[in-house]
Amino acid sequence: MASALAREHLATAHALERLPAIRAAFAAGTLSYSKVRAITRVARPETEQTWLNHAEHCTAGALENLVRAYRQRSADPDDRARTRAARRVSWCTDEDGVVHLTAVLPADEGAQLIAAIEAARDSLTTTTKPATTKPATTPGTAEPRTAEEHPHPKPPPESESDRQRDADGLVALAESFLHHGAPGLVHPAHALVLHLRPADLQPITGHGVSSTGGGGAPATLPPAVLQRLGCDSLVQAMLVDPHGNPLRLGRRHRFPTSRLRTAVQARDRGTCQYPGCDHTRWLNIHHLTGWADGGRTDLDNLTLVCGTHHRHLHEEGVVLCRTPDGTIIALLSDGRTLLPAPSVTPGEHPAATLAGETGHVAPDAVTTRNGGRLNLGESLFVLLQNHPAA
């Protein structure tokens, strides 16, 4: 048994020690190990019976989806911060020169990478008949596939050939980036599909909350991620019956329009407006007052932010506001306010100013052995020689 699988068995066994009802159902054969493994990740003595009821009426796969969604929605900010901190990409080269690549990404970023690899992979085996006139497309957007395109037959899924084609797609993805470079204003590359049941369209009475999970499968992205994706994306509503079968697919709504996006980029000079940030690449358009909160999609309510700060806004509770003079400030979750720093001007004669400010420092104030450059190893030895852990 692999060490990871052994740790999983031990974690399940330890959890069963404090969950007598689930343990009894497992011993009686009512629950399979797959179901027990899933619910012991989230069940507590006070919620044990609720999870047991779900496990008795759900398949193992549906139960895994339910547990995953529950953990994402009940995670505290510290857990989300740890997830972000766990992001990493590493690689090593063996003696034959073969590169071994490993990546650990959150759910939304992982899905984005997989979709990009699949799109690049499929492009390698897709042919298009040449046309006399090529239709104009918006930069950064993919051309729609036509009936003239004929992808070659794909090999069976999960085959060795399929894995090799995934590697081809990853290499093609790298080549494409090296060829085109980083974009400025990013065009939406995702769509949010809202699964609505007929009951969701009825007025809600009392204190009930309408669910938009639909289809029997709960959403697998945390609310903060959904809010960030919905800030600048394609939104489409799908009406489904109680069994999750699609009844009607509504029109997609893109916001903001291309003309409005151009206006926002021109007003903000193609630069992230988060205080202190000057990034000009991988920019998103952000609603100052969220669209879901009644914010309008107009010029005054939109601003440019880079991808990193866009995640911070939605995942860390940071709020951007526009002051009466048009300045963007950031309100942090701990009550602090970030203001844009004033521009630094070196003056008319920066070299003379620097010489005047440092004129009292003697040329030989810092010396090294034999007059050479500072040696990092020697400097660290001196600094750490009295350190307890040296």
Side-chain angles (χ1 to χ4, degrees):
M1 180 181 293
S3 58
L5 184 59
R7 286 194 296 268
E8 181 184 83
H9 278 70
L10 284 174
T12 303
H14 286 308
L16 285 175
E17 291 180 340
R18 63 179 186 275
L19 302 171
I22 296 178
R23 185 173 68 247
F26 187 29
T30 305
L31 298 183
S32 65
Y33 171 73
S34 298
K35 292 185 177 183
V36 171
R37 178 189 58 192
I39 60 177
T40 51
R41 296 171 184 162
V42 292
R44 300 292 181 268
E46 61 273 15
T47 62
E48 176 185 18
Q49 193 60 47
T50 301
W51 282 107
L52 180 58
N53 293 338
H54 280 84
E56 291 175 344
H57 297 89
C58 292
T59 64
L63 198 60
E64 283 282 359
N65 290 333
L66 181 60
V67 169
R68 186 184 305 112
Y70 175 82
R71 294 181 67 177
Q72 291 174 346
R73 280 154 180 74
S74 60
D76 57 29
D78 292 338
D79 290 337
R80 290 194 293 269
R82 282 191 290 270
T83 301
R84 297 292 305 173
R87 299 164 67 248
R88 66 181 184 274
V89 173
S90 59
W91 58 86
C92 62
T93 306
D94 61 20
E95 58 185 10
D96 296 327
V98 178
V99 176
H100 300 260
L101 183 68
T102 303
V104 178
L105 298 172
D108 58 319
E109 295 180 352
Q112 189 174 17
L113 175 62
I114 292 173
I117 293 176
E118 291 177 344
R121 178 196 64 195
D122 293 342
S123 70
L124 298 175
T125 56
T126 302
T127 58
T128 306
K129 292 182 179 180
T132 55
T133 58
K134 185 176 181 179
T137 58
T138 305
T141 58
E143 296 182 6
R145 178 173 294 183
T146 65
E148 296 178 345
E149 301 182 0
H150 304 285
H152 296 301
K154 296 182 180 180
E158 303 300 332
S159 66
E160 185 64 26
S161 177
D162 198 48
R163 300 289 72 82
Q164 293 174 358
R165 293 177 67 250
D166 286 340
D168 294 338
L170 182 60
V171 174
L173 193 64
E175 291 179 348
S176 177
F177 182 86
L178 293 175
H179 178 71
H180 297 287
L185 181 59
V186 179
H187 291 263
H190 47 259
L192 292 181
V193 180
L194 307 180
H195 295 257
L196 303 175
R197 293 168 298 187
D200 297 326
L201 305 179
Q202 303 299 323
I204 302 176
T205 59
H207 299 283
V209 178
S210 176
S211 169
T212 57
T220 57
L221 293 177
V225 175
L226 292 175
Q227 292 172 4
R228 174 169 57 85
L229 295 179
C231 194
D232 181 20
S233 66
L234 297 169
V235 178
Q236 193 171 20
M238 177 184 291
L239 187 64
V240 298
D241 63 16
H243 303 287
N245 300 314
L247 298 177
R248 182 179 181 275
L249 187 63
R251 296 180 59 189
R252 293 189 299 180
H253 298 274
R254 179 192 291 265
F255 54 92
T257 63
S258 58
R259 180 176 299 180
L260 188 54
R261 291 169 61 86
T262 302
V264 173
Q265 187 177 26
R267 183 201 59 197
D268 294 343
R269 302 177 301 281
T271 305
C272 175
Q273 296 300 295
Y274 193 93
C277 185
D278 58 358
H279 287 178
T280 59
R281 298 292 185 183
W282 301 104
L283 301 176
N284 305 125
I285 292 183
H286 173 70
H287 285 69
L288 297 178
T289 300
W291 180 76
D293 299 325
R296 297 176 59 86
T297 304
D298 53 30
L299 188 60
D300 292 337
N301 193 44
L302 301 175
T303 191
L304 291 181
V305 291
C306 65
T308 298
H309 284 125
H310 202 194
R311 286 190 292 269
H312 289 173
L313 293 176
H314 290 284
E315 296 179 7
E316 299 183 8
V318 181
V319 177
L320 293 186
C321 298
R322 192 186 304 277
T323 61
D325 63 355
T327 303
I328 298 294
I329 63 175
L331 306 179
L332 305 185
S333 56
D334 59 5
R336 292 180 296 159
T337 300
L338 292 184
L339 304 176
S343 59
V344 178
T345 57
E348 297 181 357
H349 307 286
T353 301
L354 178 62
E357 293 293 334
T358 59
H360 63 285
V361 180
D364 57 351
V366 179
T367 60
T368 62
R369 183 184 303 174
N370 301 326
R373 299 176 60 186
L374 286 173
N375 184 285
L376 179 62
E378 293 181 354
S379 299
L380 288 176
F381 175 79
V382 173
L383 293 171
L384 297 175
Q385 60 182 350
N386 295 323
H387 194 277

